[in-house]
Amino acid sequence: MIPISIKVSLDLVKSLYAKFIDWDNEMIDLETSTRSHATNTAISEDLGQVEYILTDKTGTLTENKMIFKRCCISGIFYGNESGDALKDVELLNAVASGSSDVIRFLTVMAVCNTVIPIQSKSGEILYKAQSQDEEALVRAAAHLHMIFVNKNANSLEINFNASIIQYEVLDTLEFTSDRKRMSIVIKDCRGGKTFLLSKGADEAILPHALPGQQTRTFAEAVEQYAQLGLRTLCLAWRELEEDEYREWSLMFKEANSTLVDREWRVAEVCQRLEHNLELLGVAAIEDRLQDGVPETIETLRKAGINFWMLTGDKQNTAIQIALSCNFVSPEPKGQLLLINGKTEDEVCTSLERVLLTMRTTNSEPKDVAFVVDGWALEIALKHYRKAFTELAILSRTAICCRVTPSQKAQLVELLKSCDYRTLAIGDGGNDVRMIQQADIGVGISGREGLQAARAADYSIGKFRFLKRLILVHGRYSYNRTAFLSQYSFYKSLLICFIQIFFSFISGVSGTSLFNSVSLMAYNVFYTSIPVLVSVLDKDLSERTVMQHPQILFYCQAGRLLNPSTFAGWFGRSLFHAIVVFAITIHAYAYDKSEMEELSMVALSGCIWLQAFVVSIETNSFTIPQLLAIWGNLAAFYVINWIVSALPSSGMYTIMFRLCRQPTYWVTMFLIVAAGMGPVLALKYFRYTYRSSKINILQQAERLGGPILSLGNIEPQPRSYDKDVCPLSISQPKNRNPVFEPLLSDSPNATRRSFGPGTPFDFFQSQSRLSSSYSRNCKDN
Amino acid sequence: MDEDGGTSAVGMDNQSIPVLRAGLKVKPRIRKEFMNQRYLNGFESLPGVDLVSIVFLCERNTAPHGSKYWSDTAIYQFTQQSLPACKPVMTPASVITSFFLVGIIFIPVGLVCLQASQSVVEIVDSYDTDCIPDPFKNNKVAYIKDSSIPKKCFRFLKVHKHMKAPIYIYYQLDNYYQNHRRYVKSRSDHQLLHGLKYNDTSSCRPEESNNGLPIVPCGLIAWSLFNDTYAFFRGTEELKVSRKNIAWKSDRDHKFGKHVYPFNFQNGTLIGGGNLDPTIALSDQEDLIVWMRTAALPSFRKSYGRIEEDLDVDDVVRVELLNNYNTYSFGGKKKLVLSTASWLGGKNDFLGMAYVYVGSSSIFIAFAFMLLHVKNPR
């Protein structure tokens, strides 16, 4: 029998979990005054079971507030001493003296972009930019007296040292994440010369430099800046011949108007113009870490969650950020294993070497991280998927740099295929695919717009709220759902078992002991409210959870909702059914054995027991909970008195008669004592002598005693399915003696973004329930 | 509540955050609550914070207009999941004490119940086999079905203990499944109340109608009405037996019609049980009313009447009974029960025994936990 009430209760409760996230005042981003928001109300408890977090870097870990910090113009480094190029006297002097290199560099900074300047009433110029980098460059240029003043349809004005320079914009070669550069073709209105101005990532610009030009200084500069965790952009330009441009312009127009494969065609045409570039310099932009990022990552890693950083940035920048936000421990504890290579063979050897190191390493698995770049990743995913999967399982931390949005999604897919619960967090449009692919998508409603936040299941204002989202909301939701779903089965089974027992003494004819009104009201009125208020239950205070994030392990491994806990509830309902039934038929034997009376005695026995069961399973009582539990018991009597007062009802006068009989009350207390005694004894025994870590923390929290060492409850690395990856792992394969979570696991949970949700996903969980049973049986 | 603390805190805050004073229309107590929130302490250090938006947030979260302080606080605490909670903890002392307490309460209560049950005097006489004359011992069904054979039978019950009036007379049927699904359903409550006016009696099948005429009362339950009769004598004097008020008053008043008379009852080829006097309204047919209250268990007792005289020790009660009811065809048993009553009802040791058992088990558990605690202190 499927208790339909479980579906209703779960839906109600889940929407409340989501509301709690929306309401949480500690997850408001005060700077933008945005609240956290749960768009998907169905997966709050999955938050508590996250095993992998895949995070974007820019805007997610960092503030995405770009500030131009350093630059290198034709081999001269500015801003190295002061740490701020805008205050570097040398640069200011160079600008003042009108050094042509510097001026060209500044021109590219100010012009090569898609920023729109807006003149405010007070005469100030505000810049509206899609890209934070561009805005930073334009601002910096303005600071260096190259002020981008105005932009019309085809012309732009620049105010340099109080003289207006006008340019005509001929074409804009837009930025795409594949090209990793953008260019602009302008015509100087004074000289009539045409220029191509380009800026982009070093690997997108340096290969297209003018042959013979010394690119080494630039490469070194890029390297140096990346080491400091700065984002680098290479700036270049080229003077175009009139004919060359005209010819190309036609092609470009044609490419722009094609219908098929336009993006690819445009990119190809752009490529034809972007060559023989004259390198001007390298700009370095700082993007500070958000507040609390290192602490958040530290805490969540303690909770046994593995972090993968997926970024479009350079390897060195990514590593620096990773180091500064506790992503990897610094040397010598932490080890970074690089996977690189340009060809299949190189990648293969590199991958094997890393795998070997991983297998034989003695360090904590989380101190070893591998670093892979987009190109190597592409090859690895294409040709060495099995080896890479093994690597993904062995290592708890990974840094993937220079990855494209689709690669991010592929990585999520890979982890999901190994049965891990993944959470993807990002802020920009390039993270949307990853967010949609992951079990749980979290979007940061940041400066790059709301694309990610809209596509995500949860949107938060700052990365540091993730800690609270997972440890507080996710964990509580999981615990509450675990209780609620098992309890719903318990209460329905209780009634079922009694009916089954009764059928044995009614000639197996299928007579219902309970009348139809009682049966109907049992799930709706008599038992649903006490369990619904368990949404207010907290096993541990938020502070304790934050201090001991390790206990999240109980959620991740499905310790609170698995076949064995389920069997416990099953056994409890069987035991309680026996108690209620046996006591009722013996106490109400012979002359008292009237059908309606006996049925109400058995029913009230069930109601009394369930009130005590909810009480004993509740960890903290708030006033609504107390009211719901005991008020519900009172309401049971009130409802039945009302029904008993209706002459037309079958149970006319029954409840009044019963309440006047001393036998009735004596029987009720007997049922409660006999039913709850063993339950309490068992619970106390396990609480005191076989305590789980949660119990230890509860005791410590409530009695104020010292917290004994929690020990290491780090889960063993899960061995992955053999048929997925036949490669053997030399590590001992300890499969956890824990089971898959039953109800709340939702690898194919209905996602908001993928079509309408199936209305009966409980039945899906049912089938999953059976499949995970069988899977566990196989494994044992 | 602590109004003083509230106002003073507000005074202090007013100086430091003048904007709040202007913008926040929050009740003092709530505002204090809000001030305690971490992030408000950082107000001055965040110059760029848009105060207006914070004011907006404050108002939305903490102070819906026009409601009382405490409900504001309560709603705020509810949304923040920070309602004050009582967190009971299972200390050895509390658990062991509660088990002891259960034991200490349950054993005496159990003893009282046992005593009540023991005080009931009960005479049970199984007469179904003894009331069959010897020639029919091998074919009881034929005997009971043959209406030409007289069914009179005498039983002698010896009183062991003084029985105080009223002494309840029950008949007990064993192995009689009055709770069978089809049997239970085969009745029409509306017809019992409204009689022939109510003619949708399909639930009564198979005893719905006979010869095209409806049966009142219809259904299997009424059809199988118990019809053994008893008369009680002490010596030659007949004991005063009251057969009134044996059914529930609510049934007589509201479930069985005062103007509904039996009609076409037991007229078929198959006679189930007793017949009813067609001149007496159903609400006065108390044997029927008692019978229609189906029993939930396959062994049950039903009221027959009350003896309104005391019976002394060693009195012999002669029962003159008519053994009409056929329980032989399905192996049922019939018993006659005379019983006094206590505050717990008839003789039933179960509750008392169960109480004593549960009480002693919980004392045993308490001791076990105590030992465990002493041996294994934590």
Side-chain angles (χ1 to χ4, degrees), chain A residues 419-449:
Chain A
D419 253 356
Y420 285 114
R421 186 136 315 162
T422 52
L423 181 149
I425 177 165
D427 75 318
N430 59 344
D431 306 314
V432 168
R433 288 182 65 180
M434 157 173 97
I435 284 172
Q436 291 190 332
Q437 187 71 49
D439 292 318
I440 305 158
V442 179
I444 292 196
S445 38
R447 291 163 193 277
E448 272 191 43

Side-chain angles (χ1 to χ4, degrees), chain A residues 272-341:
Chain A
R272 295 195 189 177
L273 201 64
E274 292 166 327
H275 61 84
N276 288 355
L277 296 169
E278 186 184 339
L279 293 176
L280 296 174
V282 179
I285 295 166
E286 186 193 54
D287 188 9
R288 279 195 300 142
L289 278 187
Q290 284 182 20
D291 284 345
V293 166
E295 294 80 8
T296 305
I297 292 181
E298 175 89 43
T299 313
L300 289 177
R301 294 242 324 229
K302 264 197 215 151
I305 298 175
N306 306 321
F307 269 94
W308 283 31
M309 186 206 276
L310 315 178
T311 174
D313 261 347
K314 279 186 56 62
Q315 183 166 313
N316 279 333
T317 318
I319 289 172
Q320 282 314 311
I321 294 284
L323 280 172
S324 62
C325 62
N326 272 339
F327 219 80
V328 278
S329 323
E331 303 260 359
K333 240 178 98 189
Q335 286 182 16
L336 282 177
L337 308 169
L338 297 181
I339 301 171
N340 40 31

Side-chain angles (χ1 to χ4, degrees), chain B residues 224-250:
Chain B
S224 60
L225 176 65
F226 187 77
N227 61 349
D228 284 6
T229 58
Y230 314 95
F232 300 87
F233 299 89
R234 182 161 50 185
T236 52
E237 153 221 15
E238 183 166 2
L239 288 169
K240 217 173 103 193
V241 173
S242 161
R243 307 241 5 241
K244 284 284 152 204
N245 293 333
I246 52 171
W248 298 358
K249 192 173 179 311
S250 59

Side-chain angles (χ1 to χ4, degrees), chain A residues 20 23-25 30 33 35 473 480 502 505-507 509-511 536 538 585-588 590-595 597 619-622 647 649 652-654 657 662-663 666 669-670 673 677 681 683-685 687-689 691 701-703, chain B residues 38-39 53-54 57 60-61 76 78-81 83-92 95 99 106 170 172 177 179-181 248 250 254-255 293-298 300-301 343-344 348 350-351 354-355 358 365 369 372-373 376 378:
Chain A
F20 279 138
W23 285 331
D24 197 332
N25 274 352
L30 283 182
S33 63
R35 291 179 157 273
H473 291 287
R480 290 161 181 174
F502 182 69
I505 62 159
S506 65
S509 61
T511 320
L536 294 170
K538 291 171 148 186
I585 64 165
H586 284 103
Y588 274 71
Y590 301 128
D591 51 311
K592 295 201 196 78
S593 69
E594 202 277 317
M595 187 85 166
E597 277 192 10
N619 296 296
S620 65
F621 292 94
T622 57
S649 79
Y652 179 52
T653 71
I654 298 289
R657 301 172 69 88
T663 324
V666 171
F669 294 129
L670 180 64
K683 192 175 164 77
Y684 167 73
F685 182 80
Y687 183 80
T688 317
Y689 300 102
S691 352
E701 181 183 291
R702 282 157 209 194
L703 302 176
Chain B
R38 239 197 352 266
Y39 51 81
S53 72
I54 288 185
L57 289 172
R60 247 186 44 186
N61 294 319
Y76 178 78
F78 173 74
T79 56
Q80 299 307 308
Q81 302 189 65
L83 283 168
C86 142
K87 298 180 177 177
V89 61
M90 280 197 280
T91 56
V95 172
F99 273 110
F106 268 52
Y170 300 103
Q172 176 175 342
Y177 285 87
N179 54 13
H180 194 280
R181 184 169 58 89
W248 298 358
S250 59
H254 299 286
K255 294 277 180 189
R293 279 269 156 207
T294 50
L297 306 176
F300 58 91
R301 287 174 186 177
W343 60 276
L344 266 180
N348 189 349
F350 172 78
L351 276 179
Y355 259 75
V358 167
I365 291 174
F369 277 146
L372 205 60
H373 182 64
N376 230 341
R378 288 180 54 101

